[in-house]
């Protein structure tokens, strides 16, 4: 029977609950345990699929087509365990399910209430698909005290009673701020947060205390006394130089050992952390560095391209180089042609990422053109691949080449995909339909040309990658694009949907319709990112 670890946060948001959960799971995994991590999000959206990156950051897509919270990216990157639809739920999805059941009459005329109906649904979600697991880590979004999270807190209170105290542990992540005017750390916010959580029926077993300064033994003892936990269970959490240093940092502070002791399990031998030692050795001792320019549109939101950022770092790890990322606003390139040259000339590689909408599109096309004409390694992802095809068509004389995503066009090099095959059968979409959950989502196979650059990078002519898009490159323009040197080197198995384009006569020019960044891990960098950074290293030696 799986044991449950419930993770809550207090005082303020953005304390790193997701990173802590991922690190703890990695430590338990390194001890030989089978783990899975889940995220409970209190907001009323059914999923983050229709939320702006400015509101929520990136949307992380799973193999089975779920649009989920970006924390699931951390979970996968740290454990290598592929996330699933069942690993992320929102209040909106819970309420939608309950209302649909009520409309069908499933409740047989009963009054539908938060307790027991909502809390039962949350508990069912927490326990779904947990066979053959040793630990299930459940992170509850938001901050204790928020109205939105109350049903989730109540659900875990009930689960602790249902499963028995030996089967559950509660971890509370909180803040110990340093007040510079007073010159001291303050523990009162943590005390109040724990008291708030306890008043809701959940007494934490372990406290993870985020702080800018070292947490002295006296302060740890004070927190332990007032919060009713052992002193050893007060775990300091200072900022780390890299997120990949966090698992070892938490291990040194005893997090994994204290969690096991809270379950009544002897920690025994320490975990095998060889992979994390190797990762940090590569990050701390690079043999060179490259600069990659990312020409995008969500530059003011670091989390909007979270998986992309990490995948580029992973490419650096694979090549033992430091990757300097320059986030370049595509809109700036639309105002001044000289700006394109000034900003992109120092780059050793140019990446145009995914996105939605017309804003910044001409700037992205300008970035593609610069990379093509100057022979700078280029990587286009999703919309980035589409912009590369539009740029290629324009270069071949199709002056009005565009995409129907931006409005009616006489030259739809990119158009809305209206149907495609899945394991469940034919999927169809119509203009003007719902936005949420209606894209081509999740893992789909592709066939690669045997003599292509990408086939040599993958070491295979058959791949599976994750998608999130509504528009596809129009195969009617295949001939004109290939005349200009832009080759369709990857297609869906039925040959109808372009998956990859490349320029064989260019040092490194690849566009992909899918999102390879979603499957990259520090201990297993995605081959496309590893190859792209390798090409950037070669280019850096030429300029």
């Amino acid at each position: 029977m799986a044991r449950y670890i419930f993770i809550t946060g207090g005082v303020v948001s953005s304390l790193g609950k997701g990173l802590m959960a991922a690190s703890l799971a990695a430590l338990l995994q390194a001890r030989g345990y089978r783990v899975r991590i889940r995220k409970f999000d209190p907001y009323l959206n059914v999923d983050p699929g229709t939320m702006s990156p400015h509101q929520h950051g990136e949307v992380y897509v799973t193999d089975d087509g779920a649009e989920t919270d970006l924390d699931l990216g951390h979970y996968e990157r740290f454990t290598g365990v592929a996330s699933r639809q069942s690993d992320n739920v929102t209040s909106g999805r819970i309420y939608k399910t309950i209302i649909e059941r009520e409309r069908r009459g499933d409740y047989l005329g009963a009054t539908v209430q938060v307790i027991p109906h909502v809390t039962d649904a949350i508990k069912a979600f927490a326990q779904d698909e947990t066979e053959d697991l040793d630990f299930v880590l459940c992170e509850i979004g938001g901050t204790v005290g928020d109205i939105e999270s109350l049903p989730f807190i109540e659900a875990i209170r009930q689960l602790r009673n249902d499963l028995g105290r030996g089967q559950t542990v509660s971890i509370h992540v909180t803040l110990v701020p340093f007040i510079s005017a007073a010159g001291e750390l303050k523990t009162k916010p943590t005390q109040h947060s724990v008291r708030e959580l306890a008043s809701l029926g959940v007494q934490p077993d372990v406290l993870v205390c985020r702080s800018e300064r070292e947490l002295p033994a006296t302060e740890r003892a004070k927190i332990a006394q007032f919060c009713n936990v052992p002193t050893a269970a007060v775990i300091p959490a200072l900022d780390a130089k890299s997120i990949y240093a966090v698992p070892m940092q938490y291990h040194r502070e005893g997090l994994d050992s204290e969690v096991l002791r809270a379950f009544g399990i002897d920690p025994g031998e320490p975990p095998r952390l060889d992979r994390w030692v190797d990762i940090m050795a590569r990050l701390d001792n690079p043999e060179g560095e490259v600069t990659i320019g990312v020409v995008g549109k969500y530059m003011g939101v670091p989390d909007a391209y979270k998986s992309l950022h990490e995948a580029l770092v992973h490419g650096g790890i694979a090549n033992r180089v430091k990757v300097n990322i320059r986030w370049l606003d595509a809109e700036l390139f639309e105002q001044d042609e000289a700006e394109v040259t000034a900003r992109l000339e120092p780059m050793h590689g140019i990446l145009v990422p995914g996105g939605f909408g017309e804003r910044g599109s001409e700037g992205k096309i300008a970035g593609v053109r610069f990379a093509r004409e100057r022979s700078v390694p280029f990587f286009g992802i999703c919309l980035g691949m589409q912009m590369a095809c539009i740029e290629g068509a324009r270069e071949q004389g199709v002056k009005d080449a565009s995409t129907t995503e931006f409005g009616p066009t006489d030259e739809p090099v990119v158009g809305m995909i209206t149907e495609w095959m899945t394991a469940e059968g034919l999927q169809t979409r119509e203009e003007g339909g719902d936005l949420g959950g209606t894209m081509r989502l999740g893992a789909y196979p592709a066939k690669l040309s045997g003599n292509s650059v990408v086939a040599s990078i993958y070491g295979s002519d058959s791949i599976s990658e994750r998608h999130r898009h509504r528009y596809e490159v129009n195969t009617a323009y295949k001939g004109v694009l290939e005349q200009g040197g832009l080759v369709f080197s990857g297609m869906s198995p039925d040959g109808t949907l372009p998956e990859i384009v490349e320029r064989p006569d260019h040092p490194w020019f690849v566009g992909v319709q899918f999102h390879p960044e979603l499957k990259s891990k520090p201990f297993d960098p995605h081959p496309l990112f590893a190859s792209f950074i390798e090409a950037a290293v070669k280019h850096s030696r030429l300029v």
Side-chain angles (χ1 to χ4, degrees):
M1 182 179 180
R3 295 178 172 89
Y4 284 80
I5 301 170
F6 299 112
I7 299 161
T8 55
V11 186
V12 295
S13 59
S14 302
L15 289 178
K17 296 193 303 295
L19 193 55
M20 190 280 292
S23 297
L24 175 57
L27 292 172
L28 292 172
Q29 192 181 57
R31 289 177 177 273
Y33 293 109
R34 295 160 300 178
V35 300
R36 180 164 288 280
I37 320 177
R38 303 204 142 141
K39 178 72 183 290
F40 301 77
D41 279 311
Y43 50 75
L44 288 176
N45 303 68
V46 173
D47 58 43
T50 59
M51 295 169 71
S52 165
H54 294 281
Q55 288 275 321
H56 189 264
E58 78 168 358
V59 174
Y60 191 80
V61 179
T62 61
D63 279 338
D64 58 2
E67 294 178 288
T68 69
D69 184 81
L70 61 83
D71 275 335
L72 271 71
H74 286 314
Y75 303 164
E76 278 205 36
R77 284 189 284 273
F78 277 62
T79 66
V81 177
S83 295
R84 301 186 294 225
Q85 177 97 30
S86 57
D87 291 329
N88 189 206
V89 76
T90 68
S91 290
R93 184 169 147 204
I94 292 287
Y95 283 111
K96 181 175 182 286
T97 301
I98 289 170
I99 289 169
E100 287 172 348
R101 290 174 181 169
E102 186 273 332
R103 292 290 83 188
R104 289 195 305 265
D106 292 358
Y107 296 114
L108 303 176
T111 301
V112 180
Q113 298 176 291
V114 173
I115 301 172
H117 300 97
V118 173
T119 51
D120 281 354
I122 294 170
K123 290 191 292 182
F125 163 76
Q127 297 176 90
D128 188 33
E129 299 182 16
T130 58
E131 301 82 5
D132 302 323
L133 293 176
D134 297 309
F135 292 99
V136 180
L137 289 78
C138 298
E139 177 196 347
I140 294 151
T143 306
V144 168
D146 293 346
I147 291 174
E148 293 89 346
S149 64
L150 289 177
F152 292 95
I153 302 297
E154 172 60 19
I156 68 172
R157 183 197 69 79
Q158 293 179 21
L159 261 178
R160 299 198 78 184
N161 285 332
D162 295 347
L163 299 173
R165 296 306 172 95
Q167 290 297 119
T168 70
V169 160
S170 170
I171 300 177
H172 192 50
V173 183
T174 185
L175 178 69
V176 181
F178 179 79
I179 307 301
S180 56
E184 59 186 11
L185 293 164
K186 292 295 183 180
T187 65
K188 195 64 72 177
T190 293
Q191 295 175 42
H192 283 303
S193 184
V194 171
R195 189 174 304 160
E196 175 77 20
L197 183 59
S199 73
L200 299 173
V202 179
Q203 167 62 44
D205 303 291
V206 177
L207 296 178
V208 173
C209 299
R210 285 298 305 272
S211 177
E212 295 178 356
R213 306 291 181 95
E214 292 286 344
L215 198 60
T218 53
E219 301 304 301
R220 291 180 69 180
K222 183 178 179 181
I223 291 170
Q225 183 178 42
F226 281 99
C227 297
N228 199 29
V229 298
T231 301
V234 179
I235 308 296
L238 276 68
D239 292 344
K241 56 187 174 181
S242 164
I243 63 171
Y244 303 117
V246 173
M248 290 190 293
Q249 184 171 307
Y250 273 129
H251 173 63
R252 286 194 297 269
E253 298 294 352
L255 175 62
D256 49 323
S257 296
E258 287 306 312
V259 168
L260 291 173
R261 289 191 187 102
F263 278 113
I265 301 171
D266 182 354
E269 294 294 319
R272 295 184 60 85
L273 300 177
D274 301 14
R275 63 163 49 166
W276 299 104
V277 171
D278 179 58
I279 288 166
M280 288 311 301
R282 289 169 177 262
L283 288 173
D284 289 340
N285 303 287
E287 297 175 358
E289 60 182 77
V290 294
T291 303
I292 303 298
V294 178
V295 183
K297 62 188 292 184
Y298 308 120
M299 296 298 102
V301 189
D303 281 347
Y305 298 114
K306 187 61 181 172
S307 292
L308 180 65
H309 176 279
E310 298 310 318
L312 287 168
V313 172
H314 303 163
I317 290 172
N319 289 279
R320 289 185 174 272
V321 295
K322 178 183 178 182
V323 178
N324 301 306
I325 304 173
R326 298 289 179 264
W327 303 99
L328 306 173
D329 190 337
E331 287 188 276
L332 296 177
F333 291 174
E334 298 178 343
Q335 301 163 13
D336 186 357
E337 187 68 30
E339 188 78 15
V340 178
T341 302
R343 295 294 184 98
L344 293 183
E345 212 161 36
M347 301 300 123
H348 304 130
I350 296 169
L351 191 152
V352 177
F356 296 91
E358 187 173 7
R359 181 173 63 85
S361 60
E362 291 299 325
K364 293 182 179 183
I365 290 171
V368 176
R369 185 181 306 113
F370 183 92
R372 176 179 59 80
E373 293 177 345
R374 301 294 189 94
S375 296
V376 179
F378 169 80
F379 197 178
I381 295 175
C382 199
L383 183 65
M385 167 183 159
Q386 296 170 6
M387 297 299 98
C389 290
I390 290 171
E391 194 278 332
R394 290 180 183 178
E395 192 265 337
Q396 282 298 104
V398 185
K399 301 300 183 184
D400 296 325
S402 188
T403 167
T404 58
E405 181 179 359
F406 305 155
T409 173
D410 293 331
E411 298 287 357
V413 173
V414 178
M416 182 176 176
I417 175 175
T418 56
E419 59 182 45
W420 64 92
M421 289 301 299
T422 70
E424 292 75 34
L426 184 67
Q427 298 289 310
T428 61
R429 296 292 181 266
E430 295 180 359
E431 293 280 1
D434 287 348
L435 295 179
T438 59
M439 289 183 273
R440 188 174 184 231
L441 292 166
Y444 287 88
K447 291 290 185 182
L448 311 183
S449 301
N451 61 346
S452 62
V453 171
V454 287
S456 66
I457 292 171
Y458 276 100
S460 172
D461 62 0
S462 228
I463 62 170
S464 176
E465 294 283 2
R466 296 179 189 174
H467 295 67
R468 183 176 183 253
H469 59 100
R470 282 191 186 84
Y471 296 83
E472 284 274 0
V473 174
N474 189 342
T475 52
Y477 290 86
K478 182 174 185 288
V480 70
L481 290 172
E482 294 196 337
Q483 285 174 15
L486 190 62
V487 177
F488 285 43
S489 56
M491 299 290 291
S492 59
D494 61 6
T496 61
L497 302 176
E499 294 280 10
I500 305 176
V501 297
E502 63 180 56
R503 290 187 178 275
D505 59 349
H506 190 280
W508 205 98
F509 192 108
V510 174
V512 298
Q513 184 58 72
F514 46 82
H515 288 271
E517 70 271 23
L518 299 178
K519 296 181 76 170
S520 187
K521 302 167 185 67
F523 44 82
D524 184 20
H526 193 285
L528 288 176
F529 281 92
S531 179
F532 175 56
I533 296 303
E534 180 184 19
V537 171
K538 292 178 181 176
H539 184 74
S540 71
R541 294 168 182 161
L542 300 175
V543 296

